[in-house]
Amino acid sequence: MPTFIVGFARSGTTLCQRLVAERFALPTVPETHYFECLPEHLPEGDRLTRRQAQGLLSSLSPYLPLKHAEREALLPARGTPVRALFMSLLEALLPATAASAQALQDGQWLEKTPGHVWHMERILRLFPKARFIAMVRSPFTALASRRELAEPGKGWGETWRPIEDYARDWAWTQQHIWQFAQAHPEALLMVRLEDLSLQPELELARIGAFLHCAPRRSRRLGQSRLLMPFETWKRGALGEVDPAVAQRQGRSGLSPFERWRLSQILAPQLAALGYTEEAPEPPLDELHRQLLASVDWFLPQLPAAPQEGAALPPPAPAS
């Protein structure tokens, strides 16, 4: 069954991809962003015209290590199904080996694009046997990591946004994961980065049971060569499994005020996911409190915490 790793950006999807690919010998590729860009060229439907396919591949070109001639070779003579073009893309990205060809034929491959979290229903329609691993990370560290990308010369060149805006995005991503898990409980597994980094063997065993995959690589984590080199700019994901990932605050970090705001406005979601970290209230004068009251218009736009029965990750064992 094909496996898709999704989640809020900066939540450990690359680390999960690396470990799962190694442990279960699943061939994998760089982030394709395929279903993320697809709505721009085909809002609905499952078949692309040649012109639509050409536009889609052009939109994907910044993300993929394919030359212009290689992209042109993927274009159909006339039209093509969405699934067929995606499979052709995977074939072009994977090493040209008999093992890769067999993996594609058997549907035993791994793709990771965090933004595909918003397109899981469409993916599942095209790949009914697909399985999704949804990575979750505490917003205290996930949003600190996102903040680093707003620093000049780093990451995506993301513009600065208030912490409340990031919190809203994080909360809606978790809500979307929970809703999909309730609709398709057999198709999605939630994994917390904190658990994967602190107890990788236990989490990989849980992932293996979910994917019905037996371990194929028994060497110690971090010592075996990757099946497919990807995203080498993310040095941390290519090194040894580091327990410090769970406590990482981000090089730039969040201010005490921002951490307190997150603990207040995301309290239901934090509790539902088993995050117990508290942030003390910083000193606030009356003017600051009035300003906060005036900008909290966004609160009604935050989703509720998951209802009882949602497919949440099991609580981490006591250390």
Side-chain angles (χ1 to χ4, degrees):
M1 60 186 72
T3 302
F4 294 84
I5 298 178
V6 300
F8 186 80
R10 314 302 287 180
S11 292
T13 55
T14 299
L15 179 63
C16 182
Q17 178 190 27
R18 175 263 176 99
L19 296 181
V20 173
E22 283 187 325
R23 178 55 58 91
F24 305 108
L26 294 176
T28 189
V29 297
E31 293 183 12
T32 66
H33 296 268
Y34 185 87
F35 295 98
E36 204 172 21
C37 294
L38 182 61
E40 300 174 14
H41 305 279
L42 185 69
E44 297 180 5
D46 293 328
R47 188 174 183 84
L48 292 153
T49 65
R50 177 181 172 85
R51 186 182 184 88
Q52 288 171 326
Q54 189 172 31
L56 175 58
L57 291 176
S58 178
S59 296
L60 298 176
S61 61
Y63 309 111
L64 302 176
L66 294 177
K67 298 178 181 178
H68 177 75
E70 293 172 316
R71 296 200 310 272
E72 289 294 313
L74 296 176
L75 288 175
R78 293 183 180 177
T80 184
V82 169
R83 172 175 169 147
L85 182 60
F86 180 70
M87 294 302 296
S88 296
L89 187 62
L90 292 186
E91 185 177 3
L93 292 170
L94 287 171
T97 64
S100 293
Q102 189 63 48
L104 287 176
Q105 181 178 338
D106 296 342
Q108 298 292 328
W109 43 264
L110 174 66
E111 196 274 350
K112 184 273 290 188
T113 300
H116 283 171
V117 69
W118 298 103
H119 307 281
M120 292 187 290
E121 289 287 355
R122 188 172 205 168
I123 294 172
L124 191 61
R125 288 200 309 270
L126 296 175
F127 296 94
K129 294 183 179 180
R131 293 295 179 266
F132 299 87
I133 299 174
M135 289 299 298
V136 178
R137 186 184 190 185
S138 165
F140 293 104
T141 46
L143 301 187
S145 184
R146 286 291 293 273
R147 270 291 172 79
E148 290 178 15
L149 300 180
E151 295 181 19
K154 293 185 179 180
W156 313 325
E158 193 171 57
T159 57
W160 184 92
R161 292 190 285 156
I163 200 63
E164 293 85 356
D165 200 32
Y166 281 119
R168 181 179 57 189
D169 288 353
W170 183 89
W172 277 111
T173 300
Q174 310 319 315
Q175 178 74 0
H176 190 73
I177 291 171
W178 290 327
Q179 289 175 342
F180 183 87
Q182 287 183 300
H184 310 283
E186 76 293 340
L188 184 139
L189 179 72
M190 290 181 66
V191 176
R192 299 195 318 177
L193 172 61
E194 293 80 5
D195 299 331
L196 182 62
S197 59
L198 285 174
Q199 47 190 35
E201 295 293 341
L202 288 176
E203 288 302 294
L204 285 171
R206 192 164 72 95
I207 291 171
F210 170 67
L211 299 178
H212 304 292
C213 285
R216 300 183 187 179
R217 307 243 169 176
S218 58
R219 285 176 287 180
R220 188 168 66 88
L221 289 172
Q223 292 299 312
S224 57
R225 183 177 63 83
L226 294 179
L227 295 181
M228 173 71 189
F230 53 88
E231 297 190 296
T232 53
W233 61 274
K234 292 187 177 178
R235 301 296 180 185
L238 299 176
E240 293 292 325
V241 176
D242 184 3
V245 170
Q247 285 80 36
R248 183 172 179 272
Q249 300 299 313
R251 286 186 294 274
S252 55
L254 300 177
S255 70
F257 171 79
E258 290 172 326
R259 295 177 64 80
W260 172 71
R261 284 291 273 171
L262 288 180
S263 69
Q264 295 296 303
I265 64 181
L266 295 178
Q269 289 82 5
L270 290 168
L273 287 166
Y275 293 119
T276 58
E277 182 178 358
E278 296 182 1
E281 179 177 334
L284 297 173
D285 57 28
E286 186 58 30
L287 176 59
H288 283 110
R289 294 186 185 280
Q290 291 179 8
L291 288 173
L292 286 180
S294 68
V295 300
D296 275 351
W297 55 268
F298 70 90
L299 283 176
Q301 301 180 44
L302 287 174
Q307 298 177 357
E308 184 177 353
L312 299 177
S319 56

